[in-house]
Amino acid sequence: MKVLGIVLARSGSKRVINKNLQKLNKESLFTRLKKTLNQCNFIDRVIVSSNSHNILKEAKKNNFETPFLRPNFLSGDEVSSYDCIMHCIEWLEKNDNYKFDAIINLQLTSPFRKSKTLNTAFDLFKKNQKKGFDSLVTLRKIERDYHYNKYLSLSKNHQVKKFDKNKYFNENFFIRDGNINPIVLKNSLLKYKNLYGKKCYGLISNSEVESIDINTMFDLQIARALLKDRVVK
Protein backbone atom coordinates (compact mmCIF):
# COMPACT_ATOMS: atom_id res chain seq x y z
CA MET A 1 0.00 0.00 0.00
CA LYS A 2 1.39 3.39 -1.00
CA VAL A 3 0.76 6.07 1.64
CA LEU A 4 1.06 9.82 1.14
CA GLY A 5 1.89 11.94 4.19
CA ILE A 6 0.51 15.49 4.26
CA VAL A 7 1.54 18.24 6.69
CA LEU A 8 -0.85 21.21 6.82
CA ALA A 9 1.05 24.19 8.21
CA ARG A 10 -0.48 27.54 7.37
CA SER A 11 0.52 30.92 8.78
CA GLY A 12 -1.89 33.17 10.65
CA SER A 13 -2.46 31.36 13.94
CA LYS A 14 -4.18 33.68 16.40
CA ARG A 15 -3.49 31.99 19.76
CA VAL A 16 0.18 31.20 19.12
CA ILE A 17 1.86 33.66 16.76
CA ASN A 18 3.98 31.83 14.17
CA LYS A 19 2.86 28.54 15.72
CA ASN A 20 4.34 26.36 12.99
CA LEU A 21 7.74 28.06 13.28
CA GLN A 22 8.09 27.65 17.04
CA LYS A 23 11.08 25.77 18.45
CA LEU A 24 11.38 23.23 21.23
CA ASN A 25 14.83 22.82 22.77
CA LYS A 26 16.32 24.70 19.79
CA GLU A 27 14.66 22.32 17.33
CA SER A 28 11.91 23.36 14.95
CA LEU A 29 8.68 21.38 14.84
CA PHE A 30 9.69 20.24 11.36
CA THR A 31 12.99 18.88 12.67
CA ARG A 32 11.19 16.90 15.36
CA LEU A 33 8.70 15.49 12.88
CA LYS A 34 11.46 14.52 10.45
CA LYS A 35 13.31 12.60 13.16
CA THR A 36 10.14 10.67 13.92
CA LEU A 37 9.42 9.89 10.29
CA ASN A 38 12.97 8.65 9.73
CA GLN A 39 12.00 5.64 11.85
CA CYS A 40 8.62 5.19 10.20
CA ASN A 41 8.42 2.35 7.70
CA PHE A 42 5.26 2.87 5.64
CA ILE A 43 5.02 6.45 4.29
CA ASP A 44 6.07 6.80 0.65
CA ARG A 45 6.52 10.59 0.57
CA VAL A 46 5.56 13.63 2.66
CA ILE A 47 4.22 16.92 1.25
CA VAL A 48 4.01 20.17 3.21
CA SER A 49 1.10 22.46 2.33
CA SER A 50 1.45 26.08 3.45
CA ASN A 51 0.61 29.63 2.40
CA SER A 52 3.84 30.91 3.99
CA HIS A 53 7.21 31.15 2.24
CA ASN A 54 8.95 31.11 5.64
CA ILE A 55 7.20 27.90 6.69
CA LEU A 56 7.99 26.23 3.37
CA LYS A 57 11.62 27.32 3.73
CA GLU A 58 11.86 25.66 7.14
CA ALA A 59 10.16 22.54 5.80
CA LYS A 60 12.54 22.34 2.84
CA LYS A 61 15.49 22.82 5.19
CA ASN A 62 14.39 19.56 6.84
CA ASN A 63 14.07 17.73 3.51
CA PHE A 64 10.29 17.83 3.23
CA GLU A 65 8.75 18.22 -0.21
CA THR A 66 7.29 21.69 -0.82
CA PRO A 67 6.03 21.62 -4.42
CA PHE A 68 3.51 24.46 -4.18
CA LEU A 69 2.39 27.52 -2.25
CA ARG A 70 -1.11 27.00 -0.89
CA PRO A 71 -3.51 29.69 -2.18
CA ASN A 72 -4.78 32.24 0.30
CA PHE A 73 -8.43 31.24 -0.18
CA LEU A 74 -7.49 27.90 1.43
CA SER A 75 -5.61 29.48 4.34
CA GLY A 76 -8.25 31.12 6.51
CA ASP A 77 -9.47 30.16 9.98
CA GLU A 78 -12.66 28.57 8.66
CA VAL A 79 -11.08 26.47 5.90
CA SER A 80 -11.33 22.73 6.58
CA SER A 81 -8.41 20.31 6.62
CA TYR A 82 -10.37 18.24 4.09
CA ASP A 83 -10.36 21.07 1.54
CA CYS A 84 -6.61 21.64 2.00
CA ILE A 85 -5.84 17.94 1.65
CA MET A 86 -7.99 17.70 -1.47
CA HIS A 87 -6.09 20.65 -2.95
CA CYS A 88 -2.81 18.81 -2.30
CA ILE A 89 -4.10 15.58 -3.83
CA GLU A 90 -5.46 17.32 -6.92
CA TRP A 91 -2.22 19.26 -7.39
CA LEU A 92 -0.10 16.09 -7.21
CA GLU A 93 -2.34 14.20 -9.61
CA LYS A 94 -2.37 17.06 -12.12
CA ASN A 95 1.26 18.14 -11.92
CA ASP A 96 3.12 15.03 -10.82
CA ASN A 97 0.85 12.18 -11.96
CA TYR A 98 1.34 10.72 -8.49
CA LYS A 99 -0.79 7.70 -7.55
CA PHE A 100 -1.29 6.39 -4.03
CA ASP A 101 -3.72 4.34 -1.93
CA ALA A 102 -4.08 6.24 1.36
CA ILE A 103 -3.14 9.48 3.08
CA ILE A 104 -2.00 10.25 6.61
CA ASN A 105 -2.55 13.74 8.00
CA LEU A 106 0.52 14.57 10.12
CA GLN A 107 -0.19 17.48 12.46
CA LEU A 108 3.00 19.46 12.98
CA THR A 109 1.82 20.55 16.42
CA SER A 110 2.10 17.05 17.92
CA PRO A 111 5.83 17.21 18.75
CA PHE A 112 6.02 14.10 20.97
CA ARG A 113 4.47 11.67 18.49
CA LYS A 114 6.49 8.44 18.37
CA SER A 115 7.41 6.42 15.29
CA LYS A 116 6.28 3.30 17.15
CA THR A 117 2.79 4.78 17.43
CA LEU A 118 2.72 5.51 13.70
CA ASN A 119 3.90 2.02 12.75
CA THR A 120 1.50 0.30 15.17
CA ALA A 121 -1.39 2.42 13.90
CA PHE A 122 -0.66 1.56 10.29
CA ASP A 123 -0.55 -2.16 11.09
CA LEU A 124 -3.97 -1.85 12.79
CA PHE A 125 -5.28 0.18 9.86
CA LYS A 126 -4.34 -2.56 7.39
CA LYS A 127 -5.61 -5.35 9.65
CA ASN A 128 -9.02 -3.79 10.25
CA GLN A 129 -9.78 -3.06 6.62
CA LYS A 130 -11.02 -6.66 6.53
CA LYS A 131 -13.67 -5.60 9.06
CA GLY A 132 -14.84 -2.70 6.93
CA PHE A 133 -12.81 0.10 8.52
CA ASP A 134 -11.50 2.59 5.98
CA SER A 135 -9.77 5.04 8.33
CA LEU A 136 -8.03 5.26 11.71
CA VAL A 137 -7.63 8.11 14.18
CA THR A 138 -5.85 8.37 17.53
CA LEU A 139 -7.96 9.41 20.53
CA ARG A 140 -7.56 10.33 24.18
CA LYS A 141 -10.10 10.37 26.96
CA ILE A 142 -11.66 13.72 27.72
CA GLU A 143 -10.30 15.09 30.99
CA ARG A 144 -11.48 18.68 30.68
CA ASP A 145 -14.47 20.43 29.17
CA TYR A 146 -14.73 20.67 25.39
CA HIS A 147 -17.60 21.76 23.22
CA TYR A 148 -19.88 18.71 22.90
CA ASN A 149 -19.58 18.81 19.09
CA LYS A 150 -16.02 17.50 19.52
CA TYR A 151 -17.04 14.56 21.73
CA LEU A 152 -16.58 11.10 20.25
CA SER A 153 -17.61 7.70 21.62
CA LEU A 154 -16.07 4.32 20.91
CA SER A 155 -17.94 1.06 20.37
CA LYS A 156 -16.68 -2.31 21.60
CA ASN A 157 -15.05 -2.96 18.22
CA HIS A 158 -13.36 0.47 18.29
CA GLN A 159 -15.64 2.18 15.76
CA VAL A 160 -15.64 5.94 16.29
CA LYS A 161 -19.10 7.49 16.70
CA LYS A 162 -20.31 11.04 17.13
CA PHE A 163 -21.67 12.46 20.37
CA ASP A 164 -25.04 11.14 21.55
CA LYS A 165 -26.60 13.21 24.34
CA ASN A 166 -28.75 10.27 25.44
CA LYS A 167 -25.66 8.18 26.26
CA TYR A 168 -23.67 10.93 27.92
CA PHE A 169 -23.73 9.38 31.38
CA ASN A 170 -23.25 5.79 30.22
CA GLU A 171 -20.13 5.93 28.04
CA ASN A 172 -16.58 7.20 28.10
CA PHE A 173 -15.98 10.02 25.66
CA PHE A 174 -12.89 10.86 23.66
CA ILE A 175 -11.37 13.60 21.56
CA ARG A 176 -8.92 13.35 18.65
CA ASP A 177 -5.41 13.92 19.98
CA GLY A 178 -3.74 14.94 16.73
CA ASN A 179 -1.08 12.24 16.49
CA ILE A 180 -2.83 10.53 13.58
CA ASN A 181 -5.74 12.56 12.29
CA PRO A 182 -6.35 10.38 10.33
CA ILE A 183 -5.03 7.62 8.08
CA VAL A 184 -7.72 7.14 5.44
CA LEU A 185 -8.08 5.26 2.16
CA LYS A 186 -7.97 7.62 -0.79
CA ASN A 187 -11.08 6.07 -2.38
CA SER A 188 -13.08 6.64 0.82
CA LEU A 189 -11.81 10.21 1.10
CA LEU A 190 -13.12 10.91 -2.39
CA LYS A 191 -16.35 8.92 -2.09
CA TYR A 192 -17.57 10.20 1.29
CA LYS A 193 -16.01 13.68 1.03
CA ASN A 194 -14.66 13.70 4.59
CA LEU A 195 -11.40 12.75 6.29
CA TYR A 196 -12.79 9.79 8.21
CA GLY A 197 -14.49 7.76 5.50
CA LYS A 198 -17.47 5.55 6.31
CA LYS A 199 -16.12 3.56 9.26
CA CYS A 200 -13.31 4.94 11.43
CA TYR A 201 -11.19 2.88 13.86
CA GLY A 202 -10.28 4.63 17.11
CA LEU A 203 -6.86 3.93 18.60
CA ILE A 204 -6.73 5.10 22.23
CA SER A 205 -3.53 6.83 23.30
CA ASN A 206 -2.32 5.95 26.79
CA SER A 207 0.39 8.61 26.82
CA GLU A 208 -0.57 12.08 28.03
CA VAL A 209 2.75 13.43 26.79
CA GLU A 210 2.41 11.99 23.31
CA SER A 211 -1.10 13.45 23.09
CA ILE A 212 0.09 17.02 23.63
CA ASP A 213 -1.11 19.21 20.76
CA ILE A 214 0.25 22.76 20.65
CA ASN A 215 -2.71 25.09 20.10
CA THR A 216 -2.22 27.64 22.88
CA MET A 217 0.71 29.37 24.62
CA PHE A 218 0.00 27.15 27.63
CA ASP A 219 0.46 24.04 25.47
CA LEU A 220 3.73 25.45 24.15
CA GLN A 221 4.99 26.24 27.65
CA ILE A 222 4.12 22.72 28.84
CA ALA A 223 5.99 21.19 25.91
CA ARG A 224 9.08 23.30 26.61
CA ALA A 225 8.95 22.52 30.32
CA LEU A 226 8.80 18.78 29.65
CA LEU A 227 11.91 19.01 27.50
CA LYS A 228 13.71 21.27 29.97
CA ASP A 229 13.02 18.83 32.81
CA ARG A 230 14.01 15.90 30.57
CA VAL A 231 10.65 14.21 30.96
CA VAL A 232 10.83 13.63 27.20
CA LYS A 233 13.52 13.98 24.53
Side-chain angles (χ1 to χ4, degrees):
M1 178 183 292
K2 187 179 286 188
V3 179
L4 170 67
I6 299 177
V7 181
L8 302 178
R10 72 178 180 91
S11 64
S13 173
K14 301 295 191 300
R15 291 183 290 180
V16 182
I17 304 301
N18 292 322
K19 178 175 68 174
N20 290 309
L21 290 172
Q22 293 295 325
K23 293 190 175 183
L24 298 176
N25 201 19
K26 298 182 180 180
E27 287 186 326
S28 74
L29 297 177
F30 282 106
T31 301
R32 295 188 65 84
L33 177 58
K34 189 64 177 179
K35 286 182 176 180
T36 300
L37 295 180
N38 284 342
Q39 301 176 61
C40 185
N41 57 23
F42 67 89
I43 301 176
D44 182 58
R45 61 191 292 194
V46 181
I47 304 295
V48 174
S49 168
S50 181
N51 63 322
S52 164
H53 290 286
N54 288 334
I55 291 174
L56 292 176
K57 181 180 178 180
E58 181 62 31
K60 194 171 183 178
K61 179 180 174 182
N62 285 277
N63 297 315
F64 286 99
E65 293 187 54
T66 58
F68 57 79
L69 180 71
R70 193 199 304 176
N72 285 329
F73 74 87
L74 286 174
S75 302
D77 292 339
E78 303 302 320
V79 177
S80 70
S81 295
Y82 172 82
D83 288 337
C84 296
I85 285 173
M86 285 304 303
H87 168 263
C88 181
I89 290 172
E90 290 167 359
W91 193 97
L92 289 172
E93 290 184 338
K94 179 180 179 180
N95 295 279
D96 206 14
N97 196 31
Y98 180 64
K99 308 297 182 183
F100 57 94
D101 304 298
I103 69 104
I104 178 170
N105 181 26
L106 296 163
Q107 290 187 192
L108 190 62
T109 50
S110 298
F112 303 123
R113 177 196 293 113
K114 295 180 180 178
S115 56
K116 182 179 179 180
T117 300
L118 290 173
N119 292 330
T120 298
F122 182 63
D123 288 342
L124 281 170
F125 174 61
K126 289 193 297 182
K127 178 181 177 181
N128 283 285
Q129 283 180 48
K130 298 176 183 178
K131 300 177 183 178
F133 289 95
D134 54 0
S135 67
L136 178 147
V137 66
T138 49
L139 306 170
R140 63 182 171 87
K141 277 191 175 183
I142 292 174
E143 297 178 354
R144 55 178 174 168
D145 291 335
Y146 288 88
H147 192 281
Y148 71 84
N149 282 338
K150 292 188 176 183
Y151 285 19
L152 301 168
S153 64
L154 208 58
S155 68
K156 290 182 180 180
N157 72 341
H158 281 256
Q159 183 175 353
V160 177
K161 298 182 179 181
K162 290 186 177 181
F163 176 76
D164 183 345
K165 292 181 180 179
N166 296 323
K167 296 182 179 179
Y168 180 77
F169 296 106
N170 299 319
E171 293 187 33
N172 291 318
F173 282 85
F174 302 84
I175 191 167
R176 292 183 285 269
D177 72 352
N179 274 320
I180 300 171
N181 189 26
I183 305 175
V184 59
L185 291 174
K186 176 188 173 184
N187 288 341
S188 293
L189 184 75
L190 299 177
K191 180 177 180 179
Y192 299 107
K193 301 186 186 304
N194 70 75
L195 289 183
Y196 306 100
K198 183 178 181 181
K199 190 176 181 182
C200 182
Y201 185 94
L203 175 60
I204 301 171
S205 174
N206 294 316
S207 170
E208 291 185 24
V209 172
E210 198 172 358
S211 291
I212 289 175
D213 182 13
I214 298 174
N215 283 307
T216 66
M217 285 304 300
F218 179 74
D219 296 330
L220 181 60
Q221 290 165 2
I222 290 293
R224 286 174 171 165
L226 289 172
L227 286 166
K228 183 179 179 181
D229 295 340
R230 299 184 179 181
V231 176
V232 291
K233 294 181 180 181

